[in-house]
């Protein structure tokens, strides 16, 4: 029953083809709040520019923390299960300040629990997280607050 409710709400917002996962079944959908961390590095032209370093976020369901998201990218559930993904598709966020929506293929997993059978992760409904403009000092860090929904899916 819960899965059909999740599917119904997900169906309200049609996903762009680049991040859709037709035929896959939702295992878990979570809200994430945290920051996208950037490092000031020399760009190709030699000028300092912000480069994405890592995400740091809390995974939340019904107001309760159930896990965390961090560099890798890794998603770790409080039951001990975890997955690592690599981006295989993206679509623009709703505004210029929103990081892109992503489709990530799970490349490794550990532990056993709710994330054990997950094959795909979607990052959708992003808010914030982008950092633009020049930076003054190579090696400095800055974070941009963001929120997103992460949807964990498995092959049908």
């Amino acid at each position: 029953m819960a899965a059909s409710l999740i599917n119904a709400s997900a169906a309200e917002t049609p996903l762009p083809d680049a991040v859709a996962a037709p035929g896959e079944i939702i295992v878990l959908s979570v809200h994430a709040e945290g920051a996208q961390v950037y490092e000031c590095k020399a760009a190709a032209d030699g000028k300092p520019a912000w480069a994405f370093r890592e995400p740091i976020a809390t995974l939340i369901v019904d107001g309760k923390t159930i896990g965390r998201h961090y560099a890798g990218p890794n998603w770790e559930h409080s039951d001990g299960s975890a997955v690592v993904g690599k981006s295989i598709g993206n679509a623009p966020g709703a505004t210029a300040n929103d990081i892109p929506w992503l489709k990530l293929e799970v490349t490794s997993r550990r532990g056993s629990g709710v994330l054990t059978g997950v094959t795909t992760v979607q990052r959708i409904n992003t808010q914030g997280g982008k950092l633009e403009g020049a930076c003054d000092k190579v090696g400095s860090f800055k974070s941009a607050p963001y929120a997103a929904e992460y949807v964990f899916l498995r092959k049908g």
Side-chain angles (χ1 to χ4, degrees), residues 30-71:
V30 303
H31 178 72
E33 290 184 12
Q36 298 284 310
V37 180
Y38 295 84
E39 182 176 1
C40 185
K41 292 185 168 184
D45 61 7
K47 294 179 181 157
W50 292 111
F52 175 70
R53 180 181 165 96
E54 63 187 335
I56 300 172
T58 301
L59 305 179
I60 303 162
V61 173
D62 297 329
K64 293 184 178 77
T65 297
I66 59 104
R68 63 192 187 113
H69 173 45
Y70 55 94

Coordinates of all heavy atoms in Angstrom, one line a residue, residues 30-71:
V30 N 13.1 9.7 0.1 CA 13.5 10.5 1.3 C 13.7 11.9 0.9 O 14.0 12.3 -0.2 CB 14.8 9.9 2.0 CG1 14.7 8.4 2.3 CG2 16.0 10.1 1.1
H31 N 13.6 12.8 1.9 CA 13.9 14.2 1.8 C 15.3 14.4 2.4 O 15.7 13.7 3.3 CB 12.9 15.0 2.6 CG 13.2 16.5 2.6 ND1 12.9 17.2 1.5 CD2 13.7 17.3 3.5 CE1 13.3 18.5 1.7 NE2 13.8 18.6 3.0
A32 N 16.1 15.2 1.7 CA 17.4 15.4 2.2 C 17.6 16.9 2.4 O 17.2 17.7 1.6 CB 18.5 14.9 1.1
E33 N 18.3 17.3 3.4 CA 18.7 18.7 3.7 C 20.2 18.7 4.1 O 20.6 17.9 4.9 CB 17.8 19.2 4.8 CG 16.4 19.4 4.4 CD 15.6 20.1 5.5 OE1 16.1 20.6 6.5 OE2 14.3 20.1 5.4
G34 N 20.9 19.6 3.5 CA 22.3 19.7 3.8 C 23.0 20.8 3.0 O 22.4 21.9 2.8
A35 N 24.2 20.5 2.5 CA 25.0 21.5 1.8 C 25.8 20.8 0.7 O 26.2 19.6 0.8 CB 25.9 22.2 2.7
Q36 N 26.0 21.5 -0.4 CA 26.9 21.1 -1.4 C 28.2 21.9 -1.1 O 28.2 23.1 -1.0 CB 26.4 21.5 -2.8 CG 25.1 20.8 -3.2 CD 25.2 19.4 -3.6 OE1 26.1 19.1 -4.4 NE2 24.5 18.5 -3.0
V37 N 29.3 21.2 -1.0 CA 30.6 21.8 -0.6 C 31.4 22.0 -1.8 O 31.6 21.1 -2.6 CB 31.3 21.0 0.5 CG1 32.6 21.6 0.9 CG2 30.4 20.8 1.7
Y38 N 32.0 23.2 -1.9 CA 32.8 23.6 -3.1 C 34.2 24.0 -2.6 O 34.4 24.5 -1.5 CB 32.2 24.8 -3.8 CG 30.9 24.4 -4.5 CD1 29.7 24.5 -3.7 CD2 30.8 24.0 -5.8 CE1 28.5 24.2 -4.3 CE2 29.6 23.7 -6.4 CZ 28.4 23.8 -5.6 OH 27.2 23.4 -6.2
E39 N 35.2 23.8 -3.5 CA 36.6 24.1 -3.2 C 37.1 25.1 -4.3 O 36.7 24.9 -5.4 CB 37.5 22.9 -3.2 CG 38.9 23.2 -2.8 CD 39.8 21.9 -2.7 OE1 39.2 20.8 -2.9 OE2 41.0 22.1 -2.4
C40 N 37.8 26.1 -3.9 CA 38.3 27.1 -4.8 C 39.6 26.4 -5.5 O 40.5 26.1 -4.8 CB 38.7 28.4 -4.1 SG 39.3 29.7 -5.2
K41 N 39.5 26.3 -6.8 CA 40.6 25.6 -7.5 C 40.9 26.4 -8.8 O 40.1 27.2 -9.3 CB 40.2 24.2 -8.0 CG 40.1 23.2 -6.8 CD 39.8 21.9 -7.4 CE 39.9 20.8 -6.3 NZ 39.8 19.5 -6.9
A42 N 42.1 26.3 -9.3 CA 42.5 26.9 -10.6 C 41.7 26.2 -11.7 O 41.8 25.0 -11.8 CB 44.0 26.8 -10.8
A43 N 41.0 27.0 -12.5 CA 40.2 26.5 -13.6 C 41.2 26.3 -14.8 O 42.4 26.6 -14.7 CB 39.1 27.4 -13.9
A44 N 40.6 25.8 -15.9 CA 41.4 25.5 -17.1 C 42.2 26.8 -17.6 O 43.3 26.7 -18.1 CB 40.5 24.9 -18.2
D45 N 41.5 27.9 -17.4 CA 42.1 29.2 -17.8 C 43.1 29.7 -16.8 O 43.7 30.8 -16.9 CB 41.1 30.2 -18.1 CG 40.2 30.6 -16.9 OD1 40.5 30.1 -15.8 OD2 39.2 31.3 -17.1
G46 N 43.3 29.0 -15.7 CA 44.3 29.4 -14.6 C 43.6 30.3 -13.6 O 44.2 30.5 -12.5
K47 N 42.4 30.8 -13.8 CA 41.8 31.7 -12.8 C 41.1 30.8 -11.8 O 40.6 29.7 -12.1 CB 40.7 32.5 -13.5 CG 41.3 33.5 -14.5 CD 40.3 34.4 -15.2 CE 40.9 35.3 -16.1 NZ 40.0 35.8 -17.2
P48 N 41.1 31.3 -10.5 CA 40.4 30.5 -9.5 C 38.9 30.5 -9.7 O 38.3 31.5 -10.1 CB 40.7 31.3 -8.2 CG 41.3 32.6 -8.6 CD 41.7 32.5 -10.0
A49 N 38.3 29.3 -9.5 CA 36.8 29.1 -9.7 C 36.4 28.0 -8.7 O 37.2 27.2 -8.3 CB 36.5 28.7 -11.1
W50 N 35.1 28.1 -8.3 CA 34.5 27.1 -7.4 C 34.3 25.8 -8.1 O 33.7 25.8 -9.2 CB 33.2 27.6 -6.8 CG 33.4 28.8 -5.9 CD1 33.0 30.1 -6.1 CD2 34.0 28.8 -4.6 NE1 33.3 30.9 -5.1 CE2 34.0 30.1 -4.1 CE3 34.6 27.8 -3.9 CZ2 34.5 30.5 -2.9 CZ3 35.2 28.2 -2.6 CH2 35.1 29.5 -2.2
A51 N 34.8 24.7 -7.5 CA 34.6 23.3 -8.1 C 33.9 22.5 -7.0 O 34.2 22.6 -5.8 CB 36.0 22.7 -8.4
F52 N 32.9 21.7 -7.5 CA 32.2 20.9 -6.5 C 33.1 19.9 -5.9 O 33.9 19.3 -6.5 CB 31.0 20.1 -7.3 CG 30.3 19.2 -6.4 CD1 29.5 19.6 -5.4 CD2 30.5 17.8 -6.5 CE1 28.8 18.7 -4.5 CE2 29.8 16.9 -5.7 CZ 29.0 17.4 -4.7
R53 N 33.0 19.7 -4.6 CA 33.8 18.8 -3.8 C 33.0 17.6 -3.3 O 33.3 16.5 -3.6 CB 34.5 19.5 -2.7 CG 35.4 18.6 -1.8 CD 36.1 19.4 -0.7 NE 36.6 18.5 0.3 CZ 37.9 18.1 0.3 NH1 38.7 18.5 -0.6 NH2 38.3 17.3 1.2
E54 N 31.9 17.9 -2.5 CA 31.2 16.8 -1.9 C 29.8 17.3 -1.4 O 29.7 18.5 -1.0 CB 31.9 16.2 -0.8 CG 32.2 17.1 0.4 CD 33.1 16.5 1.4 OE1 33.2 15.3 1.5 OE2 33.8 17.3 2.1
P55 N 28.9 16.4 -1.3 CA 27.6 16.7 -0.6 C 27.7 16.3 0.9 O 28.4 15.3 1.2 CB 26.6 15.8 -1.3 CG 27.4 14.6 -1.7 CD 28.8 15.1 -1.9
I56 N 27.0 17.0 1.7 CA 26.8 16.6 3.1 C 25.3 16.8 3.4 O 24.9 18.0 3.4 CB 27.7 17.4 4.1 CG1 29.2 17.2 3.7 CG2 27.4 17.0 5.5 CD1 30.1 18.2 4.5
A57 N 24.6 15.7 3.6 CA 23.2 15.9 3.9 C 22.6 14.8 4.8 O 23.1 13.7 4.9 CB 22.4 15.8 2.6
T58 N 21.5 15.2 5.5 CA 20.8 14.3 6.3 C 19.6 13.8 5.5 O 18.9 14.6 4.8 CB 20.3 15.1 7.6 OG1 21.4 15.6 8.2 CG2 19.5 14.2 8.5
L59 N 19.3 12.5 5.6 CA 18.2 11.9 4.9 C 17.0 11.7 6.0 O 17.2 11.2 7.1 CB 18.5 10.5 4.4 CG 19.8 10.4 3.5 CD1 20.0 9.0 3.0 CD2 19.6 11.4 2.3
I60 N 15.8 12.2 5.6 CA 14.7 12.4 6.5 C 13.5 11.7 5.9 O 13.1 11.9 4.7 CB 14.5 13.9 6.8 CG1 15.7 14.6 7.3 CG2 13.3 14.1 7.7 CD1 15.7 16.1 7.2
V61 N 12.8 11.0 6.8 CA 11.4 10.4 6.4 C 10.5 10.7 7.6 O 10.8 10.5 8.7 CB 11.5 8.9 6.2 CG1 10.1 8.3 6.0 CG2 12.4 8.6 5.0
D62 N 9.4 11.3 7.3 CA 8.4 11.7 8.3 C 9.0 12.5 9.5 O 8.7 12.2 10.6 CB 7.7 10.4 8.8 CG 6.9 9.7 7.7 OD1 6.4 10.4 6.8 OD2 6.8 8.5 7.8
G63 N 9.9 13.4 9.1 CA 10.5 14.2 10.2 C 11.6 13.6 11.0 O 12.1 14.2 11.9
K64 N 11.9 12.3 10.7 CA 12.9 11.6 11.5 C 14.2 11.3 10.6 O 14.0 11.0 9.4 CB 12.4 10.2 11.9 CG 11.3 10.3 12.9 CD 10.9 8.8 13.4 CE 9.8 8.9 14.4 NZ 8.5 9.1 13.9
T65 N 15.4 11.5 11.2 CA 16.6 11.2 10.4 C 16.7 9.7 10.3 O 16.7 9.0 11.3 CB 17.8 11.8 11.2 OG1 17.7 13.2 11.3 CG2 19.1 11.4 10.6
I66 N 16.9 9.3 9.0 CA 17.0 7.8 8.8 C 18.4 7.5 8.1 O 18.6 6.3 7.8 CB 15.9 7.3 8.0 CG1 15.7 8.0 6.6 CG2 14.6 7.4 8.7 CD1 16.2 7.1 5.5
G67 N 19.2 8.5 7.9 CA 20.5 8.2 7.2 C 21.2 9.5 6.8 O 20.9 10.6 7.2
R68 N 22.3 9.3 6.0 CA 23.1 10.4 5.6 C 23.6 10.2 4.2 O 23.7 9.1 3.7 CB 24.2 10.6 6.6 CG 25.2 9.5 6.6 CD 26.2 9.6 7.8 NE 27.2 8.6 7.8 CZ 28.5 8.9 7.6 NH1 28.9 10.1 7.4 NH2 29.4 7.9 7.5
H69 N 24.0 11.3 3.6 CA 24.5 11.3 2.2 C 25.8 12.1 2.2 O 25.9 13.2 2.9 CB 23.4 12.0 1.3 CG 23.9 12.3 -0.1 ND1 24.5 11.4 -0.9 CD2 23.8 13.4 -0.9 CE1 24.8 11.9 -2.1 NE2 24.3 13.1 -2.1
Y70 N 26.8 11.5 1.6 CA 28.1 12.2 1.6 C 29.0 11.8 0.4 O 28.5 11.1 -0.5 CB 28.8 11.8 3.0 CG 29.0 10.3 3.2 CD1 30.1 9.6 2.8 CD2 28.0 9.6 3.8 CE1 30.2 8.3 3.1 CE2 28.1 8.3 4.1 CZ 29.2 7.6 3.7 OH 29.3 6.2 3.9
A71 N 30.2 12.2 0.4 CA 31.1 12.0 -0.8 C 31.1 10.6 -1.3 O 31.0 9.7 -0.5 CB 32.5 12.5 -0.4

